[in-house]
Amino acid sequence: MKEVTIIIGVLLLFTAIEGISQKIIEPFPEPFWEGDVTLVKNTTFVVTAHNSGKTYKLSSTTALGALDRASKEGNFDYTVNDKWYKQYGSLFVDSIAGKKNEGVNGWQYWVNYPDEPLPWIGADKYQLKDGDTVDWFYGGYGKNPDTASMLIRIHVHIVTDITPPSIEFTEPRGGLYIFDREIIHFPGISYIIGKITIKADVTDDLSGVKEVKFYIDDELKEVDEKEPYSWKWNETAIGSHIIKAIAYDMVGNYNVAQSNVWILSI
């Protein structure tokens, strides 16, 4: 009987050791999304609190800005709530990729885990540095990125945008135009009969396009802040003129497109 008891005890001991070892070597769950994002200094982004419908313009180089950029790179959504904004001055994230806060479980963030302590300010106020890693993780009190049930890991690169946007006219682009239709294209001057819509193709890979200003002979005619960037020239005009468009990005860099036209529009 004594031998049986010893054998059972040994078996239980080995079972316990095996369970502990499996728990120790069990790999942590793979992040739902992990990747690099580039944030631009001195730029902002806009979020809308789903509970109130209010919009907030926030710094792009915050922990929330990193999540916003990652959501676009990773093609997932997130929502913010401003229920306690007046009290604490911060928004809080209440869902990511469809995973909502429930009871004591919710979304938290940690910058440079485990080397730095858990932040105690709102993610929309935490200013990041180049090279930071932001973990957004789901769980209750005492959880961390290693023990969370869902994890998003964001590697942050912060840059200064000194590159102007690119801009070129897509209409007119040289040739003959009659009543806002291109009849034939050829390089150089554009000949225009009747009204015409001036169109510009504008891109900016870093901070984004803020606005495009359209000019005729250096006289400002239109400021367009949304794509497609265009202005309909429907004024009376005869003879040679210079059309010009200036594209600005979010940090003030700009670029110019300019073209000579001959127009008959009465």
Side-chain angles (χ1 to χ4, degrees):
M1 184 67 180
K2 186 176 181 180
E3 292 177 351
V4 173
T5 303
I6 293 173
I7 292 172
I8 293 173
V10 170
L11 290 174
L12 290 173
L13 178 61
F14 274 111
T15 301
I17 292 173
E18 183 180 5
I20 293 171
S21 64
Q22 286 179 348
K23 189 173 183 180
I24 291 173
I25 65 174
E26 183 179 353
F28 298 121
E30 290 292 324
F32 171 79
W33 185 87
E34 180 174 4
D36 291 26
V37 301
T38 298
L39 308 179
V40 182
K41 290 181 180 179
N42 302 318
T43 60
T44 58
F45 71 104
V46 175
V47 294
T48 301
H50 71 89
N51 60 306
S52 68
K54 293 182 180 178
T55 58
Y56 296 83
K57 182 183 287 188
L58 307 170
S59 169
S60 297
T61 53
T62 57
L64 187 58
L67 177 63
D68 183 77
R69 185 70 252 170
S71 72
K72 294 176 174 61
E73 298 286 343
N75 195 29
F76 59 86
D77 60 359
Y78 73 96
T79 61
V80 297
N81 193 308
D82 64 357
K83 182 178 180 180
W84 291 292
Y85 190 82
K86 288 184 178 180
Q87 185 175 356
Y88 297 108
S90 290
L91 303 170
F92 71 93
V93 173
D94 56 6
S95 77
I96 299 178
K99 184 75 169 177
K100 298 179 180 179
N101 296 352
E102 292 183 359
V104 297
N105 294 312
W107 284 100
Q108 307 171 60
Y109 79 98
W110 199 317
V111 180
N112 299 327
Y113 171 83
D115 298 326
E116 296 183 14
L118 180 71
W120 288 100
I121 61 173
D124 55 331
K125 297 294 188 292
Y126 190 105
Q127 284 291 332
L128 300 170
K129 306 181 300 297
D130 183 44
D132 281 346
T133 295
V134 183
D135 287 336
W136 282 91
F137 61 99
Y138 187 87
Y141 179 77
K143 291 290 185 179
N144 60 52
D146 286 339
T147 59
S149 61
M150 189 171 175
L151 172 66
I152 292 170
R153 178 158 288 163
I154 309 167
H155 305 287
V156 175
H157 306 279
I158 296 179
V159 299
T160 300
D161 184 2
I162 58 173
T163 304
S166 66
I167 179 171
E168 63 176 353
F169 287 119
T170 56
E171 185 178 320
R173 58 191 184 102
L176 175 62
Y177 292 81
I178 299 178
F179 297 112
D180 217 4
R181 292 181 58 191
E182 182 181 271
I183 304 303
I184 185 172
H185 169 67
F186 49 79
I189 193 169
S190 297
Y191 295 91
I192 303 167
I193 297 175
K195 317 304 180 185
I196 189 169
T197 302
I198 299 173
K199 302 175 183 178
D201 180 42
V202 184
T203 58
D204 189 276
D205 294 333
L206 286 178
S207 59
V209 178
K210 179 182 180 182
E211 62 187 14
V212 178
K213 295 182 177 180
F214 291 91
Y215 296 81
I216 301 295
D217 299 327
D218 289 326
E219 181 182 348
L220 179 63
K221 296 295 184 178
E222 177 74 5
V223 179
D224 196 350
E225 298 179 348
K226 295 182 179 180
E227 292 186 87
Y229 302 105
S230 64
W231 170 65
K232 189 164 187 177
W233 189 6
N234 56 9
E235 303 169 344
T236 299
I238 300 174
S240 296
H241 295 275
I242 297 174
I243 61 173
K244 181 169 67 175
I246 305 178
Y248 297 85
D249 67 16
M250 292 297 184
V251 296
N253 300 312
Y254 67 92
N255 206 351
V256 181
Q258 185 169 295
S259 180
N260 295 319
V261 302
W262 192 96
I263 187 170
L264 175 60
S265 178
I266 55 177

